[in-house]
Amino acid sequence: MKNFCFVLLLCIGVSAGTLAQTNNQNTIKVSANIAYTPKIEYYTTMVTLELTPSTYNAIQEFDNLDELKDYFFKKITEKGLSKDQFTESELDYYAKTGGYNQYKGTLYEFKTTDLNDFKILYKNTVMGVRSDYISTQPDMDDKMYQELTKQALEVAREKASLAAKNINRTIGKVVSLDISAYEDAYPRSYNYYSKKESFGLTATFELK
């Protein structure tokens, strides 16, 4: 994971009021969720190149798959993209089509750190080339993880204290802590409507 600064702390949602008896000890359990803006390591999509009857009959005809590849990459590199941003996996193409596709084709993974690159990709496609939806690869380093945990725990402690006052009690140490956050191991669909994600935890406090 790469280093970067904590970016944005926006809305906080907390639910409190669960009292429990655990090992003869009164406890109160509180959940806190913090919306934050993650750092995006890269954006990615899958690009399929495939020779079909419509490809042969297109304005620009291609006799074979290599001609389609050459034409596609020539067109997008002229617009500013790099062929190095594409990683080919012909095996994934056959897996995607179930091995029964009668057409010749291949699959490329396209990666970039700049969303504007997708405007070039989508505007300069050709017959026989199609792209999937955009996915993102978030990156959370230890510093951000610790900062989010600290802030969420502070909110949970404050809400637990307020809830305890309603029954003339106070809270003590943290008995247990469960943290829920997105795993950053795999890319996931890019959210066009919100750039924020949720970091949440559930804290159980000793009730005095």
Side-chain angles (χ1 to χ4, degrees):
M1 294 186 290
K2 302 175 182 178
N3 293 325
F4 60 93
C5 297
F6 175 68
V7 183
L8 181 61
L9 175 63
L10 290 175
C11 57
I12 297 171
V14 178
S15 60
T18 303
L19 302 178
Q21 187 80 20
T22 306
N23 296 328
N24 298 321
Q25 177 177 309
N26 291 314
T27 59
I28 182 169
K29 181 184 293 185
V30 179
S31 296
N33 295 282
I34 298 177
Y36 71 100
T37 301
K39 176 183 180 294
I40 302 301
E41 185 176 353
Y42 61 81
Y43 303 90
T44 182
T45 192
M46 302 307 295
V47 181
T48 303
L49 276 69
E50 185 177 74
L51 284 178
T52 65
S54 60
T55 311
Y56 292 111
N57 296 326
I59 297 175
Q60 174 67 48
E61 294 185 0
F62 306 100
D63 294 328
N64 53 62
L65 184 60
D66 287 335
E67 285 190 8
L68 174 59
K69 290 181 184 180
D70 291 342
Y71 182 79
F72 171 67
F73 283 115
K74 181 178 183 294
K75 188 173 183 180
I76 60 171
T77 53
E78 287 176 349
K79 298 298 182 178
L81 296 184
S82 170
K83 191 174 180 180
D84 293 337
Q85 294 175 275
F86 295 81
T87 303
E88 185 176 11
S89 180
E90 188 176 2
L91 181 61
D92 284 340
Y93 169 78
Y94 288 110
K96 184 178 181 180
T97 56
Y100 298 103
N101 198 321
Q102 59 182 314
Y103 308 122
K104 293 182 179 180
T106 190
L107 197 66
Y108 287 89
E109 181 182 17
F110 173 71
K111 284 186 178 182
T112 180
T113 57
D114 187 353
L115 273 175
N116 290 320
D117 283 350
F118 287 97
K119 295 179 181 179
I120 300 175
L121 178 65
Y122 294 149
K123 287 182 179 180
N124 292 278
T125 189
V126 297
M127 183 68 73
V129 178
R130 61 182 184 275
S131 303
D132 292 340
Y133 293 108
I134 301 174
S135 297
T136 60
Q137 176 63 68
D139 184 20
M140 180 184 292
D141 63 9
D142 293 342
K143 182 178 179 181
M144 173 170 267
Y145 182 83
Q146 291 174 357
E147 180 67 20
L148 290 171
T149 302
K150 177 183 177 182
Q151 297 206 30
L153 185 56
E154 288 175 353
V155 174
R157 187 184 300 277
E158 178 181 354
K159 297 302 180 179
S161 296
L162 291 174
K165 286 182 180 179
N166 291 328
I167 54 174
N168 298 317
R169 305 287 290 275
T170 60
I171 64 169
K173 64 183 180 180
V174 177
V175 177
S176 66
L177 187 64
D178 296 318
I179 297 177
S180 58
Y182 281 121
E183 295 291 338
D184 60 359
Y186 301 101
R188 52 183 173 275
S189 296
Y190 174 68
N191 190 337
Y192 294 90
Y193 305 101
S194 174
K195 307 301 183 292
K196 305 170 186 66
E197 296 190 8
S198 178
F199 183 94
L201 59 76
T202 300
T204 303
F205 297 91
E206 179 186 5
L207 193 60
K208 297 181 180 179

